[in-house]
Amino acid sequence: GNSVTQMEGPVTLSEEAFLTINCTYTATGYPSLFWYVQYPGEGLQLLLKATKADDKGSNKGFEATYRKETTSFHLEKGSVQVSDSAVYFCALTTNTGNQFYFGTGTSLTVIP
Amino acid sequence: DTGVSQDPRHKITKRGQNVTFRCDPISEHNRLYWYRQTLGQGPEFLTYFQNEAQLEKSRLLSDRFSAERPKGSFSTLEIQRTEQGDSAMYLCASSLTVMNTEAFFGQGTRLTVV
């Protein structure tokens, strides 16, 4: 079946620290992979995506590389800001697009 | 384009009452999804429409839940005889009928059953 496992939170970092949030997946076929971000009181927003192996998605200083050999899509940022405090969700969809599968989310708090 | 719109944003209801939520997707999006999210969890899939056809429905969806998308545009999600366990954020999302594309989410309807 299809599923996503992501790093348990919460994660607390100081401003300018390096961020990694781990995500691994199980999928039939060739999935597309996504990171969504949810700020307090808001809906999910797409942060970045990758649609095939070795693709790197990037946005707002965040990056994630689609690693088929390790079935992973880890999220990284070199220097986090207070404004990055949010919950981050790893997700996948398959070729049919009939469902998105989400991880449980990782809460990030960045302190000044 | 105003994005995916959900109404109401908040709903408080008494146990046993029926509630209905509305979702207006992005206008050119043929795909529409409903998800449920509880505190500290990721979104849980409920159902999926391609135009007006309901093509996928979660096995976790009880018979008290029903969704429609009568003209392939807006959708409604109805919960009959609400229970306290139905308290959650109900999210709607839409996407294009293109392989490997992302879904765009609304801000959700927060349901509280008292």
Side-chain angles (χ1 to χ4, degrees):
Chain A
N2 301 305
S3 66
V4 174
T5 303
Q6 65 180 102
M7 187 171 114
E8 295 272 337
V11 174
T12 302
L13 294 173
S14 297
E15 205 164 23
E16 299 183 4
F18 184 85
L19 169 71
T20 300
I21 300 178
N22 290 338
C23 171
T24 57
Y25 67 90
T26 302
T28 55
Y30 302 96
S32 294
L33 303 174
F34 306 86
W35 278 99
Y36 281 84
V37 59
Q38 188 173 34
Y39 298 102
E42 297 187 14
L44 277 75
Q45 302 173 23
L46 178 70
L47 181 59
L48 53 84
K49 71 176 184 181
T51 59
K52 61 183 187 298
D54 300 324
D55 267 3
K56 177 185 282 188
S58 61
N59 186 27
K60 300 181 181 179
F62 291 89
E63 292 182 341
T65 300
Y66 188 143
R67 301 286 189 200
K68 188 177 178 182
E69 63 276 13
T70 54
T71 62
S72 66
F73 193 53
H74 305 319
L75 183 68
E76 296 182 337
K77 187 175 185 183
S79 175
V80 293
Q81 305 300 312
V82 172
S83 57
D84 294 328
S85 298
V87 181
Y88 292 82
F89 293 94
C90 186
L92 72 82
T93 192
T94 62
N95 291 349
T96 62
N98 60 354
Q99 187 175 156
F100 286 76
Y101 301 83
F102 286 86
T104 53
T106 302
S107 174
L108 170 66
T109 301
V110 180
I111 55 177
Chain B
D1 189 353
T2 57
V4 178
S5 177
Q6 293 189 244
D7 184 69
R9 291 289 308 278
H10 303 274
K11 178 72 177 178
I12 300 174
T13 191
K14 292 184 178 179
R15 191 171 45 188
Q17 297 294 305
N18 299 345
V19 293
T20 300
F21 309 141
R22 178 180 170 120
C23 171
D24 287 273
I26 294 172
S27 58
E28 64 267 29
H29 286 187
N30 293 328
R31 290 175 172 167
L32 187 145
Y33 311 83
W34 284 99
Y35 281 80
R36 175 170 61 191
Q37 186 180 21
T38 53
L39 197 62
Q41 298 298 314
E44 175 189 36
F45 174 75
L46 294 178
T47 191
Y48 159 65
F49 290 85
Q50 173 78 32
N51 298 312
E52 66 276 7
Q54 188 175 19
L55 298 184
E56 194 91 12
K57 194 172 173 181
S58 169
R59 281 169 286 179
L60 301 175
L61 205 62
S62 84
D63 292 343
R64 296 184 297 105
F65 287 71
S66 63
E68 293 183 341
R69 194 182 182 198
K71 297 182 181 178
S73 56
F74 74 92
S75 175
T76 57
L77 177 68
E78 181 183 17
I79 309 174
Q80 296 183 327
R81 304 180 303 282
T82 52
E83 302 172 356
Q84 285 191 320
D86 297 331
S87 295
M89 177 75 84
Y90 290 84
L91 300 170
C92 177
S94 68
S95 74
L96 292 167
T97 309
V98 172
M99 277 177 55
N100 304 320
T101 190
E102 65 270 25
F104 293 79
F105 281 80
Q107 292 195 296
T109 295
R110 180 167 296 284
L111 172 67
T112 303
V113 181
V114 297

